[in-house]
Structures are given as structure tokens and as C-alpha cells.
Amino acid sequence: DVCSSDLLLSPQEQDERAKQWLKDNGMAIVIGISLGLAAVFGYNNYQAKQITNAEQASSIYDTVLGLANDSELADIGSQVTSLKEGHSNSSYAAKGALLRARQLSVSDLDAAFEELAWVVSNAQEYGLKHTALIRQAKILVSQGKLEEAKAIALTQPYQGFDSFYQEILGDIAARQGEFTNADEFYQSALDTLGDADQSYAVILTLKKDRLPTASAPSVSSASAAATPEEVESNRSEEHTSELQSRKISR
């Protein structure tokens, strides 16, 4: 530090004082600079690695999409496994697993359910988690495991997915013969339907209108609620790339 006495020193004395200060503190300066450079280098290396991993995951997912678009029966198992094992924190892994689960749901609901469970446990984006939860609930409904499906459908918070869960609760109530409750749930699903999903109001209204009333002929509780396959065919898969619009496949 410079004090008043330093100002009275001759230029030669000041130069000697500076040399002594550097001799006493030089090593600390070198270490500080080295640590700073190491931190910068380490951060840059980390960023480069993250970018590389993201590019790899994107490339694998593009392959999955290409195969799935070419044929719904295409084998995407190995690519999805690569995403899950090497890029588990990436949204591409969750999206790939959702595609794989949809394929499996055609022939093996239990395997599809497990694939969705992986998404629930690993997806970083809440939209992808809700997508998986809602599909799990629909599988359980189709298997007659209504209480398990209800436990999922009562999950809080809904985070903007209220309509989807209310529909499931309506399906469950309809299958249990609780038609008044089912009607209320379907109406709630209609009331909370997002702007991007307004076209789905037709399906919800149809479900609501199919419920038995005092003036309408009775129908079985099983037929009062559409199966996951019936409902699934009326929704797009755009939620995997447009989560901000909160669109998911029903």
C-alpha cells in the first residue's frame, strides 16, 4: 500500500520498494492468475462438452423421428436406449422414450407403462412429465386399474394441464357408473381447455353427451368412457416440440 512517506522517496528508492514488493508477493500473483486462467479454461471446456452432448442427442433423436415417420412399426429401441443411457438429462431422451412408449402401447401396455415411468423419473421439463403421467393414467384406465389411475389423475399441481386430468377423472367416474360425477369432470375439462386445444372440445362434448341420463337409454359404464386408443387418435404429438403452448397428446 502507498503511504505518505512513500511520496518522499527518491525515484530510485521507489523502484527498490516496488521490486521488494514484487519479490514478496510475486508468487501469490502468479498463483492467482493461474487459478483464474484455469477456471476460465475449465468453464469453456465444460460449455464445449455440453454443446457436443446436445448435438449428439439431437442427432440421435432426429434418427428416431425419421424412423418413426417412415413407419410406425420401425425399431427405434436401440436409439432410444442410447438417448436414455448417454443423455438422460436431455429433453431428447424423454421425447424419444415417449415415442417408444407409444409404439409399445400397441402390443405391450406394461412395457409402455415402464417406458413412461422412465420419463416421469428423468424428464427435466414439467410438460414432458405430465405427458407421461397422463398416458400412464390412460393405460391404467384401459386395464381397469381405476384407483391407480385416479391416484395419478389427482396429482397436484396440474401446472396448466387441468383439462387433461379432469378428462381422465371423467373417464374413471363413467366406468364406475358415477355418471353425475363424470358429467361434472367432463364439463370441468371443457372449462379448462387451453386455447390451443379448442378443437378437442368436440371429443369432450361427445363423451359428456354419451353419459346416461334420465331421459336417455342406458349404456354400459365401460362404453361411456373412450379408450386411450380412441382418444389418442384425435390428438397430435406436437407437445414434444411446442411445450410452451401446453399441448400434449390425449
Side-chain angles (χ1 to χ4, degrees):
D1 294 336
V2 177
C3 61
S4 59
S5 62
D6 291 334
L7 300 177
L8 302 177
L9 297 175
S10 68
Q12 184 177 1
E13 290 173 324
Q14 291 181 11
D15 186 52
E16 289 297 325
R17 178 70 63 85
K19 289 180 180 178
Q20 185 61 44
W21 185 89
L22 287 173
K23 181 179 179 181
D24 294 339
N25 299 279
M27 184 58 66
I29 293 174
V30 171
I31 293 174
I33 292 174
S34 298
L35 290 175
L37 291 174
V40 171
F41 176 78
Y43 178 72
N44 288 339
N45 188 49
Y46 170 79
Q47 277 193 317
K49 185 177 180 180
Q50 292 295 100
I51 292 173
T52 299
N53 285 339
E55 290 174 345
Q56 290 175 346
S58 176
S59 177
I60 297 173
Y61 181 67
D62 284 343
T63 300
V64 171
L65 278 180
L67 291 171
N69 288 334
D70 288 340
S71 171
E72 293 185 1
L73 300 178
D75 184 6
I76 59 175
S78 61
Q79 289 83 2
V80 172
T81 298
S82 295
L83 284 171
K84 289 163 61 178
E85 292 180 349
H87 310 277
S88 60
N89 292 328
S90 168
S91 63
Y92 294 115
K95 292 175 183 179
L98 286 172
L99 284 174
R100 179 61 175 157
R102 180 162 185 170
Q103 280 189 338
L104 291 170
S105 67
V106 176
S107 58
D108 191 341
L109 289 177
D110 289 334
F113 190 92
E114 289 304 314
E115 197 74 33
L116 294 170
W118 186 93
V119 178
V120 173
S121 298
N122 293 275
Q124 303 297 308
E125 299 175 31
Y126 72 84
L128 295 174
K129 285 181 181 289
H130 281 296
T131 299
L133 283 169
I134 289 167
R135 290 194 186 176
Q136 280 188 317
K138 288 183 177 294
I139 287 176
L140 292 171
V141 170
S142 72
Q143 294 176 325
K145 301 175 181 178
L146 302 184
E147 292 305 316
E148 293 180 47
K150 184 183 292 186
I152 292 178
L154 291 173
T155 297
Q156 294 286 348
Y158 290 150
Q159 297 178 296
F161 291 85
D162 307 57
S163 178
F164 302 95
Y165 288 107
Q166 292 300 308
E167 180 193 9
I168 292 171
L169 290 171
D171 291 347
I172 294 170
R175 285 176 177 262
Q176 292 177 328
E178 300 172 357
F179 302 120
T180 300
N181 289 339
D183 183 80
E184 292 175 357
F185 284 128
Y186 288 143
Q187 185 59 54
S188 179
L190 283 165
D191 294 340
T192 56
L193 199 61
D195 292 339
D197 296 316
Q198 285 301 314
S199 61
Y200 195 73
V202 175
I203 302 298
L204 291 173
T205 300
L206 178 62
K207 286 188 174 188
K208 192 172 183 295
D209 291 344
R210 287 173 58 189
L211 294 172
T213 63
S215 59
S218 176
V219 298
S220 68
S221 60
S223 64
T227 65
E229 291 75 19
E230 291 172 330
V231 179
E232 197 80 43
S233 65
N234 291 284
R235 293 289 263 169
S236 73
E237 287 297 324
E238 295 178 3
H239 66 277
T240 54
S241 60
E242 299 180 18
L243 287 177
Q244 291 184 358
S245 66
R246 290 178 175 174
K247 293 177 65 178
I248 71 170
S249 177
R250 281 193 182 255

